[in-house]
Amino acid sequence: MAHFFCRLLPPRPGFAQDMTAAEMQAMQAHVGYWTALAQAGTAVVFGPVADPAGFWGLGVLEVAGEAEAQAITRDDPAILAAIGLRYEVLPMPRATTR
């Protein structure tokens, strides 16, 4: 299994504080999606990061390979909602888990 660091970047720095109703709905679906990934053991950890420059999302995936990580992030409801979010997906060549 391989590990991937997934960084969900918002469309603007104040996104976490000033989401529209449509953005809030997309983010609620996003949390449900990642919660299911965590329950299945695919997401090792996920959640918001309180960066002083603006919140962003962090997820670590344990998957067969990069194609699976890319598919998971591509199919995220927050991405499918086309509200301006985007992912950076980076391999973790020597990740250690419990």
Side-chain angles (χ1 to χ4, degrees), residues 5-16 19 23 27 30 34 47-49 51 53-59 73 76 78-80 82-90:
F5 170 84
C6 304
R7 181 176 176 180
L8 181 62
L9 298 167
R12 59 189 178 279
F15 179 76
M19 279 186 253
E23 291 169 337
M27 292 309 294
H30 160 78
W34 276 84
V49 175
D51 186 332
F55 277 68
W56 50 273
L58 173 144
T73 57
D76 185 325
I79 298 299
L80 297 175
I83 57 173
L85 296 159
R86 67 181 176 87
Y87 272 104
E88 292 176 347
V89 179
L90 303 166

Side-chain angles (χ1 to χ4, degrees), residues 34-83:
W34 276 84
T35 298
L37 291 169
Q39 291 170 342
T42 303
V44 176
V45 64
F46 77 96
V49 175
D51 186 332
F55 277 68
W56 50 273
L58 173 144
V60 175
L61 296 172
E62 184 175 42
V63 293
E66 185 172 1
E68 187 176 355
Q70 292 291 347
I72 287 169
T73 57
R74 181 191 63 233
D75 294 340
D76 185 325
I79 298 299
L80 297 175
I83 57 173

